[in-house]
Every structure is written in C-alpha cells, then in structure tokens.
Amino acid sequence: MTADNSWLPRASCDASCISTGAAAADQPVVVAWRVAMRATFAVLMLSATPLLAIPMPGRSHIQRGYCRLMLRCLGVRITVSGGPIRNLKGVLVVSGHVSWVDIFAIGAGHARLVRCPCRPRRVAALGILARLMKVIPIDRANLRRLPDVVGTIAARLRSGQTVVAFPEGTTWCGLAYGAFRPAMFQAAVDAGRPVQPLRLSYHHRDGRPSTVAAYIGDVTLFASIRRLVTARRTVIHVQVQSLQLPGTSRRDLAARCEAAVRGDVSRQGHGHALVA
C-alpha cells in the first residue's frame, strides 16, 4: 500500500506472495490458445452486461448465472459448501478480501444483487459493473466520511438490500490475511440486521492454495486479469458459515464473524450465531 497514514488498513503482501502461490507455466502455444478463448467469451459476456439493469422476472437468478458464467470465461470454477445461503432481505455479507473476483464469487452464490463498499480507484477500474452492482465508494484518504458510508449501508440494509463488505479494509494475497475492522459492522448493529460470514479461498486445480487472483498493492486491473486468464484453472471454495445476529457491540460482532471466516472456534462470540 502506498498510504503513509499508520491508521489505514495496510497489507504486507507484495509480488513475492504472488510468485509463492504461482503454478507451473504451460507451453506458450497452449497459453495463447487459452487466453484467446477466454478473452473472446469474456468480451461477449461484458457486451451483455447492460441487460442486468433491465427489470425482469427472475432477475436475481439471472444475475447469479451471469456471475457464474463470467467466472467460467476467466477460467475460474466455484464450489459452495457449508450451510445454505439463506435468501433473506437486508443481510450484510462479509468475507476476507483477495481480489475483484471476490464479488463475482459471492454474487454467483447469492440470489440477490450485491452492493459492495470499495475504494474509488477500484470503482473506476470496474466501470459499468461497479455501477450496476451499486458499489459504495470509500475514500481511504478521507475516513472522516466513513460514518456517512456506514449510514448508507445501514439504510440499504433496512430497505431489504444485500450489502457485501470486506472488513479487512484492503486486499491480501490469500496466503496471509488481516484483522476484521469493526466499522462496517456498525451498519448491521444500527439496522438490526444479521450478518452472513463467508470463507473464500483460492486454489489451483490440484488443490494447492493459489495467489493467481490476488489484486494487491498497486497491481492494475489489466495485470490481474491477464494473470488470471493465463492460469490453467482457478478454483474458489466458498464456505457458508452460521448467520450471525447483530447484537449491540460492533467489536463483538466483528470478532465473531472473523472467527467464523478464519475457522478459529476459540474466538467465537457469546452465543449470537444462528446455526444453519
């Protein structure tokens, strides 16, 4: 990260993390064919993106199918395990943050269109997709506006919208991760709405942990996409954890959700989980 402020979330991940989780390279001809096929289908999918904004019956399922198809075009497969994703209104969905791919992975498994707080640079890079997903910009250099963002999220939760937040505050490589910051959880507490923790992990097709999709530091969106489409196959495991009631403390809620996402049962909270 380039920010000098010590109170900003900052990942220690760099290019060495990506090389650590890299896979063996294929023959150039194979890679070129793979990239050509994936790029062609991805462009076709992007051309259909405006259709997602048209109100129609079963729109949420169409959006979920779109996310799955887009992941396939990029060479990504997704598996979902754990409890069922409850199709409730007004749920705050939280997970660790590795990549821009996270939002497609969550959208592919969730029946409702997701809204996601995101840094302005990332919003601009995602373009029309960010607007369709109703991304809420967060200016990390001006966190005095954070209460306004929290208020916006709380209002959307009260109106029955699903909002996805990444409480680490920045992206990590997937081999390492950061602590969950409690700020975003205040929205769930204020709105009195539950939180759905998801555990996302990236793997090569042989099961080894992968950093191919990592979108860290000053890596450009183009470089991230290029690395993804040249890889043989990336598999995202999405594990659905127990739904968490908001309670009255954002710090306790953040700790419970972090424990659920990391699989650390010793840090579970005080009996506020709804077992799926």
Side-chain angles (χ1 to χ4, degrees), residues 5-57:
N5 297 4
S6 60
W7 42 268
L8 287 177
R10 181 179 303 181
S12 57
C13 301
D14 55 25
S16 64
C17 298
I18 296 175
S19 61
T20 299
D26 284 323
Q27 294 294 327
V29 152
V30 175
V31 173
W33 178 85
R34 180 186 300 145
V35 171
M37 293 295 293
R38 290 176 178 175
T40 299
F41 286 112
V43 169
L44 290 174
M45 288 296 297
L46 284 173
S47 67
T49 300
L51 297 177
L52 298 178
I54 301 175
M56 64 183 75

Side-chain angles (χ1 to χ4, degrees), residues 61-74:
H61 296 288
I62 293 173
Q63 292 162 345
R64 181 169 57 182
Y66 178 89
C67 288
R68 283 185 174 271
L69 285 174
M70 179 58 79
L71 288 174
R72 281 186 170 271
C73 291
L74 297 171

